[in-house]
Amino acid sequence: MSVQKFLYDSYLREHTSYVESFHIINNLCAIALAENIFRPSGGGQPRDHGTVIINKISYKVEDIIKIKGVTNLILDSSALVSLYEFYGKEANSILDWERRYCLMRYHTGGHILMSAARQTVLGYEPQGMEIEDDLSSCKILFTSEEEFTEKNCSSLLDIALNAIDGNASIEAKNYPSLDAAKEEHIDEFRINSNLNLKGKVRIIIIDNYDANPCSGTHVKSLGEVGSLTIESFSYESIERIASIKFKLECITS
């Protein structure tokens, strides 16, 4: 079974593994690597970009999809010529690091604002986040029993910026169950009640600030998020859903 290296080390930019299986999907070559560093889209985070080098030839990763739980990299059309020579061959994965690092910072920034909302909004419950594929902005959504106003938005931003200045550490930790994670992080825990998570769970923990089930990629400390500005916000009174659109200056580490 393919090991998803990005779950254990989001900062891994390049890695050498081997081709474990291959398919043809929509007239393109799809390969699964024994150890994979590319994250597919999911949880509001767009997919990674990058290339794979096999037999000294570089192929662009056009898409990343899961087939029966296995992550497959869809390579550009030139890979079809050599498809049946790929099995068992060494493959060098090279991540588009500038994009990955920006995604990590956006995803972490979303966690910060969500936690700020948890602390201040009546009837808060997370409803997801959406990072734009072009990395221009990110939107977070959550429930609010009361109208979400400019004053509320300003309060959330102040909490988030203070947290970034505090530069708390961030870690991913696996738990045997959701209840076990809740018990350890009762004061910081948040989750969308619509999620039906069973068995082992991966929790992203921001020290003394936030704990949330998540399979995304994140930075190691809040200071890496950098400059965060809110572009707009809205509130749907019927659905009681508030949304905040924020922007980061995308930089590489």
Side-chain angles (χ1 to χ4, degrees), residues 232-247:
S232 62
F233 71 93
S234 64
Y235 180 70
E236 296 292 338
S237 58
I238 296 177
E239 299 293 332
R240 298 182 292 107
I241 298 292
S243 69
I244 296 176
K245 183 180 180 181
F246 70 94
K247 181 178 179 63

Side-chain angles (χ1 to χ4, degrees), residues 8 47 57 68 84 91 101 109 116 124 146 168 170 233 253:
Y8 307 97
R47 69 174 179 89
I57 300 176
K68 296 181 179 180
Y84 294 98
Y101 191 60
Y124 167 84
E146 300 177 333
I170 302 165
F233 71 93
S253 66

Side-chain angles (χ1 to χ4, degrees), residues 6 36-40 48-52 64 73 93-95:
F6 63 83
N36 169 55
I37 65 172
F38 296 101
R39 186 186 186 275
D48 286 327
H49 290 180
T51 58
V52 176
I64 309 169
L73 310 179
S93 299
I94 302 173
L95 195 68

Side-chain angles (χ1 to χ4, degrees), residues 197-238:
L197 300 179
K198 296 181 179 180
K200 296 180 181 180
V201 292
R202 178 180 187 254
I203 307 295
I204 300 302
I205 303 162
I206 303 177
D207 190 31
N208 296 320
Y209 190 80
D210 189 51
N212 174 241
C214 185
S215 65
T217 55
H218 309 80
V219 292
K220 292 179 179 178
S221 59
L222 290 187
E224 291 186 63
V225 173
S227 176
L228 184 157
T229 57
I230 292 179
E231 290 198 320
S232 62
F233 71 93
S234 64
Y235 180 70
E236 296 292 338
S237 58
I238 296 177

Side-chain angles (χ1 to χ4, degrees), residues 167-182:
N167 199 27
S169 61
I170 302 165
E171 67 170 327
K173 187 174 178 180
N174 294 319
Y175 289 84
S177 68
L178 195 61
D179 288 339
K182 286 181 179 178

